Amino acid sequence: MERLAVCSPHDDPLQALQAGNARFAAAWSRAAQEQDPQLRMTLLQALLGEHCQVDPKALAKGQHPWAAVLTCADSRIPVEWIFCAGAGELFGVRSAGNTAFNEGVASLEYAVELLQVPLILVMGHSGCGAVTAALGKDPLTPLLEELVTPIRAALEPRDDLPRGIQHNAVYAAAQLSERSAVLQQAVAEGRLKIQPSYFDIASGAVTLL
């Protein structure tokens, strides 16, 4: 366990996520000023290269993540990059629209009870296609209709896309403890914090909600 926890923050995990994101957002902004894609990657890789890395041999035998992130299935959201984290640090659960879907809730129960993760960050993001679909009137396939149903439950009458995304993240965060007795008990006992948030792809910044 000691080898697996070598990169765990000594302070509040939420503060550690915010500090890592501040570093990422600064590098993301600098990368946006470069025209050469190789130079952009060099800037971002230099940022990640400064971070701690758990021994791969230890990771082959187990894991000890210090935060979980429930976020959207989207190619623009590399969770470890956004928070300047390495392998074994963040327990990621993803589905379009970052809803409290059954398998995701069960996965987070595993993270909290067996891996003792003390923080779940629920993260919506700008330009979310699932929330766009939930706000729209176009016909959807049966499975997509099922996917956007909890998103529609989160929306308020006059929501535009950014506000809809934020309301959905807040709703999903609340649903985690409402739908799971395991997570509810962990929150009540002070072993777990659930925090909704919003990632702006253009700036690279994560805002707590």
Side-chain angles (χ1 to χ4, degrees):
M1 179 65 75
E2 188 173 328
R3 294 173 69 199
L4 290 171
V6 67
C7 294
S8 300
H10 298 296
D11 54 0
D12 178 10
L14 183 57
Q15 291 179 359
L17 286 180
Q18 290 178 283
N21 177 246
R23 289 171 56 205
F24 169 78
W28 193 245
S29 178
R30 293 199 305 272
Q33 300 169 26
E34 292 289 347
Q35 298 301 312
D36 187 332
Q38 290 186 330
L39 289 176
R40 286 198 294 268
M41 181 55 70
T42 298
L43 281 170
L44 293 170
Q45 285 180 328
L47 169 73
L48 293 177
E50 297 173 2
H51 193 68
C52 178
Q53 176 59 53
V54 179
D55 182 356
K57 298 188 193 69
L59 289 175
K61 297 179 181 179
Q63 59 176 318
H64 184 62
W66 49 268
V69 181
L70 169 60
T71 192
C72 190
D74 191 291
S75 65
R76 299 165 293 177
I77 307 175
V79 174
E80 285 77 14
W81 281 47
I82 290 171
F83 297 107
C84 291
E89 295 188 69
L90 303 181
F91 186 92
V93 176
R94 305 185 69 156
S95 178
N98 45 269
T99 59
F101 63 108
N102 288 345
E103 295 82 357
V105 176
S107 299
L108 291 169
E109 288 181 341
Y110 169 81
V112 171
E113 285 301 288
L114 275 76
L115 303 179
Q116 287 149 15
V117 166
L119 170 67
I120 298 172
L121 187 78
V122 179
M123 188 172 70
H125 70 91
S126 59
C128 179
V131 178
T132 299
L135 285 165
K137 299 185 186 296
D138 293 337
L140 302 173
T141 68
L143 288 177
L144 282 174
E145 191 65 46
E146 183 179 335
L147 185 145
V148 302
T149 295
I151 300 175
R152 286 180 175 148
L155 300 176
E156 297 185 3
R158 296 189 177 179
D159 276 349
D160 58 9
L161 182 57
R163 288 189 62 80
I165 293 165
Q166 293 176 38
H167 286 152
N168 180 53
V170 171
Y171 180 81
Q175 283 287 296
L176 291 180
S177 55
E178 287 183 21
R179 298 191 60 231
S180 168
V182 169
L183 300 182
Q184 185 179 70
Q185 183 176 355
V187 170
E189 293 174 354
R191 296 186 286 114
L192 174 67
K193 178 180 178 65
I194 301 175
Q195 175 67 55
S197 63
Y198 176 84
F199 173 58
D200 179 63
I201 293 172
S203 68
V206 173
T207 303
L208 302 184
L209 301 175

